[in-house]
Amino acid sequence: MSRIENRTFDELQIGDSASIVRTLTFKDIELFAAMSGDVNPAHVDPEFARSDMFHKVVAHGMWGGALISTVLGTKLPGPGTFYLAQTLRFRRPIGLGDTVTVTVKVAQKSGQDHRVSLDCAALNQRGEVVIEGVADVIAPMEKVSRERVTLSDVALRK
Amino acid sequence: MSRIENRTFDELQIGDSASIVRTLTFKDIELFAAMSGDVNPAHVDPEFARSDMFHKVVAHGMWGGALISTVLGTKLPGPGTFYLAQTLRFRRPIGLGDTVTVTVKVAQKSGQDHRVSLDCAALNQRGEVVIEGVADVIAPMEKVSRERVTLSDVALRK
């Protein structure tokens, strides 16, 4: 996909949805830790993680939160969206190798101020809910369609 | 700091707080984009950002959310914390060069199930609230004090 496009307030319909799919790797965890500074050993220290509540390395909960914001910011509604609020319930851990499908779905529209509520959910490969929540945004009024920016490569060095 | 320690449920007192301070750089934005896949042009495309609502490049809203989870996971309560839920209200944008202080403060303790609610806030260098919310966690029962894991260096290559 070389272009990034939004869905304007007028185009959005109740029930419209968009998703991304990601499989958790240790590099994802290292990147999240480097970005946030969150070196909680549940995520970056396998020996501790084995002794901890899930008995394995799991993703930072907010990794899933970030993926929700990715769908909102790049797909639905996409560029021009004003992010007002987000609720998140962390229902199950995401382990290494788990594949999560993160979906946002238009639940409510308010014509007066262009506010839109979207139901958000991340499901694992077994169809279990790992995160759920609600996003409140002001949807864009103007159509945006732009060349997608190519990201820098990221290399991790011990 | 070469060790990472938690505060157990029994040690936590209402009003206890912990903070981190970060100044937003473009590398932070690039890392967040690489980690999440969120290439919303408001964050990674300066030309678009100048034409958009804030007229400048701003951080992904969830960057601040990630910093809140960093304080929870590394400082208060720290390792062994079970993250149940988070609410976030994005009140103001965080621009390049802005310095944010992210603080979590113990607001409620429930002895029955070791649940703790923490008020969370990110303030910019002008003392304005940029994000606020509430975290619900189950606080650790066992003391943890471990060697802090050293992160990989991250290099970005165009």
Side-chain angles (χ1 to χ4, degrees):
Chain A
M1 288 183 296
S2 64
R3 294 196 77 76
I4 185 165
E5 268 194 30
N6 68 0
R7 303 283 292 279
T8 65
F9 180 84
D10 291 335
E11 291 172 335
L12 292 171
Q13 312 259 352
I14 306 291
D16 283 354
S17 69
S19 300
I20 57 172
V21 179
R22 287 278 295 271
T23 298
L24 179 70
T25 65
F26 195 64
K27 185 178 177 187
D28 290 317
I29 292 177
E30 285 185 291
L31 259 183
F32 191 96
M35 177 279 297
S36 64
D38 188 347
V39 293
N40 182 335
H43 313 301
V44 296
D45 181 338
E47 180 189 286
F48 175 83
R50 277 192 293 275
S51 74
D52 199 25
M53 62 197 96
F54 302 123
H55 309 296
K56 61 180 181 186
V57 169
V58 299
H60 299 78
M62 209 52 93
W63 183 69
L67 297 184
I68 289 172
S69 80
T70 297
V71 188
L72 297 168
T74 62
K75 294 196 160 189
L76 191 77
T81 297
F82 186 100
Y83 206 178
L84 292 171
Q86 178 74 55
T87 65
L88 298 166
R89 296 199 72 81
F90 303 105
R91 300 277 304 275
R92 284 182 181 79
I94 302 173
L96 288 175
D98 280 356
T99 297
V100 290
T101 301
V102 180
T103 303
V104 309
K105 188 159 95 175
V106 177
Q108 283 181 43
K109 285 180 68 174
S110 159
Q112 212 175 344
D113 50 7
H114 309 123
R115 284 179 72 138
V116 177
S117 290
L118 300 102
D119 292 330
C120 307
L123 274 68
N124 64 18
Q125 67 277 12
R126 290 177 293 280
E128 298 162 336
V129 175
V130 293
I131 304 177
E132 59 189 353
V134 174
D136 290 311
V137 305
I138 298 175
M141 290 305 291
E142 286 176 31
K143 192 74 181 171
V144 174
S145 172
R146 285 184 74 80
E147 196 80 23
R148 182 177 288 259
V149 168
T150 305
L151 290 179
S152 305
D153 270 344
V154 174
L156 295 162
R157 277 189 306 250
K158 283 287 174 203
Chain B
M1 287 182 298
S2 65
R3 294 194 77 76
I4 184 166
E5 268 195 28
N6 68 1
R7 303 282 293 279
T8 65
F9 180 84
D10 291 335
E11 291 171 336
L12 292 172
Q13 311 258 353
I14 306 292
D16 283 354
S17 69
S19 301
I20 57 173
V21 179
R22 287 278 295 270
T23 298
L24 179 70
T25 66
F26 195 63
K27 186 179 177 186
D28 290 317
I29 292 178
E30 285 186 291
L31 259 183
F32 192 97
M35 177 278 297
S36 64
D38 188 346
V39 292
N40 183 334
H43 313 301
V44 296
D45 181 337
E47 180 189 289
F48 175 83
R50 278 192 293 274
S51 73
D52 200 24
M53 61 198 95
F54 301 123
H55 309 294
K56 61 180 182 185
V57 169
V58 299
H60 298 80
M62 208 53 91
W63 183 69
L67 297 185
I68 289 172
S69 80
T70 297
V71 188
L72 297 169
T74 61
K75 294 196 160 189
L76 191 77
T81 298
F82 186 99
Y83 205 0
L84 292 170
Q86 179 74 54
T87 65
L88 297 165
R89 296 199 72 81
F90 303 105
R91 300 275 304 275
R92 283 181 181 80
I94 302 173
L96 289 174
D98 281 354
T99 297
V100 290
T101 301
V102 180
T103 303
V104 308
K105 186 158 96 173
V106 177
Q108 283 181 45
K109 286 180 69 173
S110 159
Q112 210 174 347
D113 50 6
H114 309 120
R115 284 178 75 139
V116 177
S117 290
L118 301 103
D119 292 332
C120 309
L123 273 68
N124 65 19
Q125 67 277 13
R126 290 178 293 280
E128 299 162 334
V129 175
V130 293
I131 304 177
E132 60 189 355
V134 175
D136 290 311
V137 307
I138 298 175
M141 290 305 292
E142 287 174 31
K143 192 72 181 171
V144 174
S145 173
R146 287 184 72 81
E147 196 78 23
R148 184 177 286 259
V149 168
T150 304
L151 290 179
S152 305
D153 270 343
V154 174
L156 293 163
R157 278 190 305 252
K158 282 285 175 206

